[in-house]
Amino acid sequence: MPSLNELLKPINADMQAVDQVIRDCLDSEVVLIRTIGDYIIGSGGKRIRPALALLSSRAFGYQGDQHLKMAAVIEFIHTATLLHDDVVDESSLRRGRSTANEMFGNAASVLVGDYLYSRAFEMMVEVDSMAVMQVMSQATKVISEGEVLQLMNVNDPNVTQEGYLQVVRFKTAKLFEAAARVGAILANVSEPMQEAAATYGRHMGTAFQLVDDLLDYSGDTQTLGKTLGDDLREGKATLPLLHVLAVGNTQDQALVRQAIEKGDGDFDAVAQAIMRADALTYTRQAAEAEVTLAIEALSELPDSETKYLLQQLAGHCLTRNQ
Ligand code: GRG
């Protein structure tokens, strides 16, 4: 399986152009905004969401240059959510560096997140498409709803798998869905084609988050660039834990139930319970099913090299380790 960088080589020029738009648009006169903006944007995110917007527009034959601005908009919104999320979760490591909240404090992180979010909408106005505005404003609303739903689920071991999946679709998959849909809108394709792109993005984004949740128990801190066990510390009932609650032995169920209710569970003990219930395999299979649905949605699209890249990108969500 090629690395993400290898996979994205055919759109390298566009990705560089997006990077330039991002840098040009972080031009506030307020020094702290530039400092924190440069810090987080320069810390090497994977840029998978902007890549998705670029690939989607290209798969539908878009010839203009607004896809570059929209890809930057999507990365700005993603970055704003990360700045806010790290404050909410009290995280200290992201992209292999101290989080912005750790470096500059919670207030500065939240406020620069607000700036990036507002700047994204200002840039979007320049794109001058009501359909795009509608998709992006709805997406950011849903992402926020997802985050609030997640907050309501914290320390609750009775969350259902459907309830958990709703949070995943809202907080993470929605931005993937929007990125893919915006590419199709820019290319001015029919409603069913826009829907196919959105369906692809939604399933791919769901797979992406499911893998994120299993990497929180099985990844490598160095490679991931963030601390393992964050979800357990926060009492988040993610799919690996929900599966132990569904099929684990009585002792493991009790251990996990208590870890969710109280937070700060014993990582090694819970990781062993997860192994005994084969819950990482279960979570991976759920992610595989989402990738299959994502690839199926692509059958609506005309055959092209870009469509093949989109198939590979969905598959990458399963093999990623960062
Ligand atoms: C500002 C609109 C707005 C909303 C705030 C806090 C919040 C509401 C939403 C948080 C949503 C969130 C952070 C979901 C997790 C998504 C996720 C898996 C992030 C990690 O993405 P990667 O791995 O990160 O693509 P990189 O570092 O590669 O960019």
Side-chain angles (χ1 to χ4, degrees), residues 202-313:
R202 183 165 61 250
H203 289 299
M204 177 190 162
T206 305
F208 189 87
Q209 183 63 56
L210 289 169
V211 170
D212 219 67
D213 290 347
L214 75 84
L215 286 174
D216 201 52
Y217 288 98
S218 60
D220 170 61
T221 297
Q222 190 91 12
T223 320
L224 268 182
K226 59 183 183 183
T227 327
L228 293 196
D230 273 351
D231 293 341
L232 185 66
R233 235 183 325 278
E234 292 152 30
K236 278 186 194 157
T238 58
L239 198 54
L241 297 191
L242 291 178
H243 190 62
V244 178
L245 289 177
V247 306
N249 66 41
T250 316
Q251 233 179 347
D252 286 346
Q253 284 190 11
L255 174 82
V256 165
R257 179 167 279 276
Q258 208 188 27
I260 295 171
E261 278 172 351
K262 298 213 163 38
D264 219 9
D266 177 338
F267 184 82
D268 290 336
V270 170
Q272 280 167 26
I274 285 176
M275 291 304 163
R276 278 190 288 274
D278 218 1
L280 294 184
T281 306
Y282 177 80
T283 306
R284 189 167 289 286
Q285 283 168 349
E288 282 166 5
E290 293 293 331
V291 167
T292 301
L293 291 171
I295 291 174
E296 267 173 32
L298 292 177
S299 64
E300 306 286 323
L301 273 67
D303 282 335
S304 68
E305 243 175 69
T306 310
K307 174 169 157 174
Y308 177 66
L309 276 184
L310 284 167
Q311 288 167 350
Q312 301 253 90
L313 191 65

Side-chain angles (χ1 to χ4, degrees), residues 95-218:
R95 299 175 173 170
R97 286 194 194 181
S98 294
T99 51
N101 43 304
E102 188 83 356
M103 287 289 286
F104 306 98
N106 285 347
S109 285
V110 169
L111 295 173
V112 174
D114 291 342
Y115 173 84
L116 287 175
Y117 178 70
S118 315
R119 185 78 178 99
F121 274 84
E122 190 179 40
M123 288 154 70
M124 226 183 310
V125 170
E126 291 164 9
V127 173
D128 197 21
S129 159
M130 211 35 151
V132 165
M133 287 290 283
Q134 205 240 330
V135 168
M136 295 310 300
S137 54
Q138 198 243 4
T140 52
K141 177 195 72 179
V142 169
I143 293 167
S144 306
E145 284 177 334
E147 202 64 6
V148 176
L149 270 177
Q150 176 171 265
L151 184 67
M152 290 164 65
N153 290 348
V154 161
N155 299 129
D156 182 1
N158 298 316
V159 171
T160 62
Q161 292 198 9
E162 196 35 59
Y164 158 81
L165 275 174
Q166 186 186 15
V167 169
V168 170
R169 286 194 199 102
F170 280 24
K171 75 165 184 174
T172 304
K174 197 69 198 178
L175 194 53
F176 284 79
E177 176 184 329
R181 192 191 282 275
V182 161
I185 291 174
L186 288 177
N188 208 14
V189 293
S190 67
E191 192 65 43
M193 283 298 181
Q194 292 178 23
E195 214 43 57
T199 304
Y200 165 84
R202 183 165 61 250
H203 289 299
M204 177 190 162
T206 305
F208 189 87
Q209 183 63 56
L210 289 169
V211 170
D212 219 67
D213 290 347
L214 75 84
L215 286 174
D216 201 52
Y217 288 98
S218 60

